[in-house]
Amino acid sequence: MAALPQKKISRLPAWLLPVLCLAAAIALPFVVPVYYVQFASKVLILGVLAMALNLVVGQGGLVSLCHAAFFGLSGYVLALMSPKYDAASLLLTLPAAVLAASFAALVIGALALRTRGVYFIMVTLAFGEMLFYLFHDADFAGGSDGAFINVKPELTIAGVRLLDLDKPLTFYFVVLAVTVAAIALLVTVVRSPFGHALAAARDNERRARALGFPIFRIRLIAFVLSGALAGVAGYLAAVQFGFVAPQMLGWHQSATVLVMVLIGGLSTVTGPLIGALALLGLEEVLKATLEQWKLAEGLIVIAIVLLLPNGVRQLWPMLFGDAEPKPARGKRATPAPTPAPETGHA
């Protein structure tokens, strides 16, 4: 008799975790030093990139290794459009950077999506490396040394400065707002008929094609949308660090973000964001405690993938229970009694 109330208390509402996380994110800059505010901004930026990649990997079933190219390309657009000693316009450079990333995703996706499986992985990897060496060897982009953004962009309307991204607190809340908007957009897309069609193509492409779904078009739209969100993340990363380098476009950056997706969980929109927090937080702790921290990080990531196949996000239902009660395993729900058929006698 005493176990029943405990069971009810352990199940927390599904909306409680997002509300608590948002409240903690809003309060964070007022209770921690500036270093941790900047670290949180970095986590959110890479979390947006990981969620963008998950739209293709988790929802579309396509493993892409070129999303860092969209990430870095957007940052280079900002660097090339920024005046040397003046602040660039946010209203001008942000749309230009996102459009450049979207166009690159459109071209690469239109070619890569004609392949399947490991061939798709290799084609996206090849395109990512092509863009990496383009900026690595180009003098106009600073070559292997990269390029600096001396003055961060600002939002100015009628001579009034509305946003000064040079302030860590202002930049953090801008990144937080972008993250919330990205989550809302991705949740809407995933729950829409388009998202269901994308998942149907992932689960059984032949059946989805037989039902009349335009598979190529659906995947291309998802790939372009994913590239655009990666461009937004790359723009914010360039603003935060004031520097862009070819390494932002390299395959190792794509692989790192893919690890964030895997340890965060493929089945949810916000799982990769939690994966970014887990991976970057783990790196911060290991760097401060171990000399061979890369080895320890690899072993821990392997353990997470093996022990938590749905990502670290599944720890919440494991600890606090699901939002809705589920029937016990091995037991079937008792069907409703079927009324006896009429015999026709009075």
Side-chain angles (χ1 to χ4, degrees), residues 4-31:
L4 185 59
Q6 242 178 2
K7 197 172 184 182
K8 287 184 178 179
I9 292 174
S10 66
R11 289 198 183 97
L12 300 177
W15 53 264
L16 182 60
L17 180 59
V19 170
L20 290 177
C21 290
L22 182 59
I26 294 174
L28 180 70
F30 305 104
V31 295

Side-chain angles (χ1 to χ4, degrees), residues 50-109:
M51 289 189 294
L53 177 61
N54 191 46
L55 179 63
V56 174
V57 178
Q59 303 301 323
L62 302 167
V63 180
S64 169
L65 285 179
C66 70
H67 269 58
F70 312 138
F71 179 77
L73 176 62
S74 180
Y76 267 102
V77 169
L78 171 60
L80 294 174
M81 293 184 65
S82 297
K84 191 170 183 179
Y85 300 111
D86 295 324
S89 171
L90 183 69
L91 293 178
L92 179 62
T93 55
L94 178 58
V98 174
L99 283 176
S102 302
F103 180 74
L106 176 63
V107 174
I108 294 175

